[in-house]
Amino acid sequence: MSDNRQLDEYVAKRGLCMVPDPAKGHRTVATRRFVRGQTVLSINPLYGFPVRPTEESPATHADDNDQSQSHPPREGTVDPPTRCVHCFHPLPARYPRCSRCRQSAQYCSTACLTAHWNARHYLECGHLDTKAVDEAAAKLKPEYRPYLRMAAGVGAALVSAEQNGKPGWLQIQAAAWDRLVGHRAMHPQYVLRQYKQIASVLMAHVKDTGTLGYVADPSTTDADDARTDAVVSALCRFGCNNFAAYDYSAHTVTGHLCSPLVSLLFNHSCYPNASFVYSNGLQVVRALRDIREGEEVTLAYVDGMHPRSVRRKTLADVYFFDCTCTRCEGASERGKVDSLLDGAVDNDTANARQSQQPPLLPSNLPTNYTDHKPRIDPWVIRVVRGLFCLVNNGTTTTDDHSSSFRKLDTTILGAVKGEPPRNIRFSAYKHWLECQDECLDKVSEGHSELWPWACVSSLYVLAFYVMAYPPYHPLVGTQCLEAAKLVWNSMQVSDTPPVDAVDGSLVKSLVLAAKSVLEVAANLPTTASPSDSTLLTRQIDLLLDQLSAGGGSSS
């Protein structure tokens, strides 16, 4: 099925090379320099599909505030698609469909329909019985349905890859699939039982099992058992290799992706030098900072806004390795920041258990904050301005990781030095995020007096993002934009600055930081036009126009 030489040549042409590593098995290093914002790799996933409202894969469910299970489907039914199968954006009230498989391929626009057909749907159309897949999914718990859909879709894609005349990207992804490791022997037995149930249901509903291109174990005498076992092995690969497509402007997971090449190439780091976006049907890996020739290229498998202990447990339980990245080891400046955050969590949790009391709120966030005037701790402003010094300087460095990035880490350590642990732990971040969201909800109901609290809480959230994520991470950029909007709006409802250190210059710095970061991390157009302007681009341009009209101040 696969051509390993073709795969190696494909990787080499993109300035990458897989080399043996005694601890990791292998690692992928750059064979040429990548500058921050440059595309490292762009390829169609082997298979992908949008999320459905009540179906959430356990492997990608990482948001404690997720509400996807709030309206479970009726037994024996599945929710209809609500997102475009190409871009994963929400479907409008009326939407186009593929004329041949109307129920399985639905699009937000005719442009997406055309793009999806030209890219891949001409391969898939009619080859997968989506009605049978939905019937099979209805037999499972909602959280396991994405695994079944992925097993059916990837199996069909692997069959297509064996045929002559198929596109190069499909051949490459199939070759990478063959190299993926599923760690089946390391999966807990209860997970393997769930996978076997999923495989059995799928095989019972897909009449033509030849449409599933999984290689069965020849030593298994019973053909049905062999095919079921092959699907279980494939599910093990999904469990520790899949990706979640994420909409950074809406802060939500939009789809599930199986992209074996990206999984195969890039190891994990809690402080990665690259990230990916799903854009117009492509998985695009972009450099978050300058990557030197010979340096390993890494992605983050787990959310960096979790304590080290939580990240390591997830990586051990789901991906079956112990993380030893620079952030987890604690020797580097960034590792010291992480140790401070994680140590604060451990100490506060231990104290709370001994006293049987919940951890304390941050000292600057009263229980009833609606009766108090907000203020910003100096450390927050120092951390945020440290970010500005890095991303708003307008220069391109040859080695910003070893100089400017380290300077930011030093700024963070100096800013939080002496702060009570209750103010800088990860649970404090959650309190400030809840404050921001609650204030926004109440402001939308007409409580304009809460704009200052929304403004302050957004700056705290941004400071925590700067402490946890790489400076050019997409979430840092979107939070800069969120804070800029809230600071600007809070200034419009008062003749005086709502909070000390909040003024028009802060808004401008936040907007410029959002623009700089998102141009690097989220494929934001460098020059916007009505045809290619994204929602984030329009918001940035609007704020800059308002600042120019108002002279950059609240007057």
Side-chain angles (χ1 to χ4, degrees), residues 41 64 105 122 133 147 153 162 305 307 309 332 352 377 428 477 484:
L41 181 69
D64 293 337
Y122 73 94
V133 172
Y147 285 108
E162 291 183 323
M305 279 308 303
S309 53
S332 66
D377 285 321

Side-chain angles (χ1 to χ4, degrees), residues 184 190-203 225 228-229 231-232 235:
R184 179 166 177 168
Y190 77 90
V191 173
L192 293 176
R193 287 194 296 270
Q194 292 164 350
Y195 285 171
K196 186 174 182 180
Q197 179 191 7
I198 294 170
S200 299
V201 170
L202 177 63
M203 301 305 292
D225 287 347
T228 300
D229 188 71
V231 175
V232 171
L235 289 168

Side-chain angles (χ1 to χ4, degrees), residues 29-61:
V29 300
T31 58
R32 57 181 173 84
R33 179 172 173 259
F34 291 96
V35 298
R36 64 174 182 248
Q38 186 175 356
T39 296
V40 177
L41 181 69
S42 178
I43 192 169
N44 295 85
L46 180 60
Y47 187 69
F49 57 93
V51 298
R52 299 198 186 189
T54 58
E55 297 181 8
E56 182 59 42
S57 166
T60 59
H61 189 143

Side-chain angles (χ1 to χ4, degrees), residues 147-218:
Y147 285 108
L148 182 140
R149 299 187 193 283
M150 189 64 78
V154 169
L158 292 175
V159 171
S160 295
E162 291 183 323
Q163 303 172 13
N164 293 328
K166 297 306 177 184
W169 66 263
L170 181 56
Q171 307 292 337
I172 294 299
Q173 289 282 29
W177 168 264
D178 285 347
R179 290 201 203 178
L180 287 185
V181 178
H183 300 290
R184 179 166 177 168
M186 302 178 72
H187 279 74
Q189 286 301 311
Y190 77 90
V191 173
L192 293 176
R193 287 194 296 270
Q194 292 164 350
Y195 285 171
K196 186 174 182 180
Q197 179 191 7
I198 294 170
S200 299
V201 170
L202 177 63
M203 301 305 292
H205 283 77
V206 178
K207 296 179 181 179
D208 183 6
T209 55
T211 60
L212 299 179
Y214 301 119
V215 179
D217 185 351

